[in-house]
């Protein structure tokens, strides 16, 4: 099954691996997903098409997740997604069907996450006067009963992800990619049900649309991409190629774009746009000690070796990456697992400093959007951290800290164990665990 929409970046996946992990047919008998009319007379497909994202935080009674196998990387990811308000509200807006109503489905991922969000119930936000008591509120709040989200675990088998292979080291960032890409792909299917005669469904997800990698430009045929010359600051021109891109509610929450520009002497700049769900931050350099250091390193201009022309002549080129569009929910991936040429993998156990409040400086933005993205749109607040425990890249454990609006404070969740912690414990370095995924929300949407 080929993917026609833009590929989102999660680590180092080849197109074949991407299709294998994220675009495998969901069911042996494909039924039109969510094509029934619910009791209110509205088709769920239309709900998704007309959805308006709600970013208002919701106070949920916390619940631990029972781990009877090796599912800590899933449980940690699920807790972070439950703590993400637009994700929670999106799934709550979709009707939930029983197995009797829909015995077979082509959207198992949507079904499972709608069910997951419905496992959590609202908890009243305490009055401001009580919030000042702090410790007393902590004692008053009790987690709900822990449960096992076995229906979420089964998605790995239903969709035949390599994450379900025995003996394989599981990765929370790879699993997040599996989930977000899977939800995105299922929602694209729903869009096609509403617009069966519109094959492209092309929309813009920023100041420009998605473009292909420059290395692939000579290999791809004509048809799906458009090419134009863009004149930027100081009258510099660059050649950009546009590919089809379709928005879904998932891209509206997590989707951002980076601009990659290739510089070659005596040639026009070649610019490409790449969509992402997680922003990959290389932390290998000894100079990188903070998240800000990693972000500045991301946009630093670098030389590219081994680049040849069509005539097989080697040329000197350099590349620079900048941020073209910032998503409402920004997930930073601290790349702790480094693959060696011999095939092995090592974990970087260095501490990387991060703050609750993060400002994306204008220097990190693409020249064409610096004046368009205001400070509130590039300022973020932390709401979840996924940690990896242990010094080995082939084992370990995952836990999550999440901000709980009912507490006006933080919870530490280790599978079914839930406890209250201070904000200082969230950002303080620890020898037993290292931050792996940082989940931030834009402050202008809080």
């Amino acid at each position: 099954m080929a993917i026609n929409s833009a590929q989102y970046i999660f680590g180092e996946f080849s197109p074949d691996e991407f299709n294998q992990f994220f675009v495998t047919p969901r069911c042996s008998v494909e039924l039109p997903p969510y094509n029934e009319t619910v009791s209110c007379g509205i088709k769920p497909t239309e709900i998704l098409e007309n959805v308006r994202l709600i970013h208002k935080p919701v106070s949920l009674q916390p619940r631990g997740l029972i781990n009877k196998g090796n599912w800590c990387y899933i449980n940690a990811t699920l807790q972070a997604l439950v703590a993400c308000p637009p994700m929670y509200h999106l799934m709550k807006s979709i009707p939930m069907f029983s197995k009797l109503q829909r015995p077979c489905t082509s959207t198992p991922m949507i079904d499972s996450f709608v069910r997951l969000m419905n496992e959590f119930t609202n908890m009243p936000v305490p009055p401001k006067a009580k919030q000042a008591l702090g410790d007393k509120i902590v004692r008053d709040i009790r987690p709900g009963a822990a449960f096992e989200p076995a229906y979420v675990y089964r998605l790995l088998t239903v969709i035949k992800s390599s994450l379900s292979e025995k003996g394989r080291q599981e990765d929370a960032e790879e699993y997040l990619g599996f989930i977000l890409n899977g939800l995105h792909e299922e929602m694209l299917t729903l869009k096609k049900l509403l617009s069966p005669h519109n094959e492209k469904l092309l929309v813009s997800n920023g100041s420009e649309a998605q473009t292909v990698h420059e290395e692939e430009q000579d290999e791809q045929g004509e048809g799906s991409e458009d090419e134009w010359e863009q004149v930027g600051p100081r009258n510099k021109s660059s050649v950009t190629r546009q590919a089809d891109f379709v928005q879904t509610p998932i891209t509206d929450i997590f989707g951002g774009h980076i601009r990659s520009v290739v510089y070659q002497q005596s040639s026009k700049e070649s610019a490409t746009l790449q969509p992402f769900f997680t922003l990959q931050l290389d932390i290998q350099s000894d100079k990188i000690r903070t998240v800000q250091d990693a972000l500045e390193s991301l946009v630093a201009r670098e030389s590219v070796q081994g680049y040849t022309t069509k005539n097989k002549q080697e040329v000197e080129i350099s590349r620079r990456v900048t941020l073209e569009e910032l998503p409402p929910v920004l997930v930073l991936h601290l790349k702790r697992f480094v693959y060696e040429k011999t095939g092995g993998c090592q974990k970087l156990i260095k501490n990387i400093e991060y703050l609750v409040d993060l400002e994306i400086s204008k220097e990190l933005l693409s020249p064409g959007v610096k004046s368009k993205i205001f400070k509130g749109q590039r300022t973020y607040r932390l709401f979840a951290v996924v940690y990896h425990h242990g010094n080995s890249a082939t084992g370990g454990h995952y836990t999550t800290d999440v901000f709980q609006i009912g507490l006006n404070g933080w919870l530490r969740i280790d599978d079914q164990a839930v406890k209250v912690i201070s904000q200082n414990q969230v950002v303080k370095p620890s020898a037993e665990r290292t931050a792996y995924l940082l989940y931030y929300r834009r402050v202008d949407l809080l």
Side-chain angles (χ1 to χ4, degrees), residues 211 226-230 238-242 259 271-273:
T211 61
D226 296 325
E227 184 177 287
W228 75 92
E229 182 173 333
Q230 181 181 11
S238 62
V239 176
T240 307
R241 298 187 71 203
Q242 176 181 342
R259 173 180 286 268
T272 68
L273 296 182

Side-chain angles (χ1 to χ4, degrees), residues 14-280:
S14 69
D16 289 341
E17 289 172 329
F18 184 93
N19 280 323
Q20 177 187 352
F21 297 163
F22 307 136
V23 199
T24 305
R26 309 306 199 232
C27 180
S28 57
V29 181
E30 292 281 328
L31 297 181
Y34 290 122
N35 208 23
E36 309 94 296
T37 301
V38 292
S39 57
C40 62
I42 302 175
K43 291 185 178 181
T45 46
E46 295 172 356
I47 293 176
L48 271 180
E49 180 70 10
N50 300 314
V51 68
R52 288 183 178 272
L53 294 179
I54 300 173
H55 294 273
K56 182 180 179 181
V58 57
S59 179
L60 300 175
Q61 184 177 31
R63 298 183 68 182
L65 300 178
I66 298 171
N67 182 3
K68 294 182 180 179
N70 190 24
W71 306 121
C72 62
Y73 70 106
I74 295 182
N75 289 351
T77 304
L78 297 183
Q79 293 287 6
L81 292 176
V82 170
C84 178
M87 182 71 166
Y88 173 81
H89 288 299
L90 170 62
M91 294 301 159
K92 287 287 288 184
S93 70
I94 302 172
M96 185 168 65
F97 295 97
S98 67
K99 286 186 177 180
L100 290 176
Q101 290 173 304
R102 301 176 72 232
C104 188
T105 175
S106 60
T107 55
M109 211 166 264
I110 292 176
D111 295 352
S112 296
F113 274 81
V114 168
R115 181 176 174 183
L116 175 70
M117 297 305 174
N118 278 278
E119 301 275 13
F120 293 83
T121 57
N122 287 17
M123 182 172 64
V125 178
K128 290 185 177 180
K130 290 186 177 181
Q131 287 182 0
L133 299 175
D135 292 339
K136 186 176 187 301
I137 293 177
V138 167
R139 289 193 296 269
D140 289 342
I141 292 182
R142 298 177 181 177
F147 68 99
E148 182 185 21
Y151 49 90
V152 176
Y153 304 154
R154 284 195 292 269
L155 288 173
L156 296 176
T157 303
V158 172
I159 305 178
K160 299 178 182 178
S161 166
S162 66
L163 285 164
S164 62
E165 295 175 2
K166 292 183 179 180
R168 186 182 183 282
Q169 167 58 15
E170 291 79 8
D171 184 280
E173 194 270 342
E174 188 177 344
Y175 179 73
L176 178 63
F178 166 76
I179 291 300
L180 296 184
N181 275 287
L183 289 170
H184 172 65
E185 190 67 23
E186 289 184 359
M187 290 179 184
L188 288 181
T189 302
L190 300 183
K191 278 180 170 283
K192 290 177 182 177
L193 287 176
L194 288 174
S195 304
H197 302 298
N198 188 349
E199 295 181 359
K200 287 191 175 183
L201 286 166
L202 180 62
V203 296
S204 173
N205 196 31
S207 56
E208 273 94 18
Q210 156 71 8
T211 61
V212 295
H213 292 280
E214 63 275 357
E215 293 91 345
E216 299 172 352
Q217 289 180 0
D218 293 332
E219 300 175 6
Q220 301 203 14
E222 299 179 358
S224 62
E225 293 88 19
D226 296 325
E227 184 177 287
W228 75 92
E229 182 173 333
Q230 181 181 11
V231 179
R234 299 179 184 176
N235 291 322
K236 290 184 177 180
S237 64
S238 62
V239 176
T240 307
R241 298 187 71 203
Q242 176 181 342
D244 296 345
F245 174 73
V246 184
Q247 282 179 299
T248 67
I250 295 299
T251 65
D252 290 341
I253 297 172
F254 298 96
H257 281 84
I258 58 175
R259 173 180 286 268
S260 178
V261 180
V262 173
Y263 305 90
Q264 181 181 341
Q265 190 173 6
S266 302
S267 297
K268 293 178 180 178
E269 295 175 2
S270 175
T272 68
L273 296 182
Q274 297 171 315
F276 67 86
F277 280 141
T278 60
L279 193 59
Q280 312 272 323

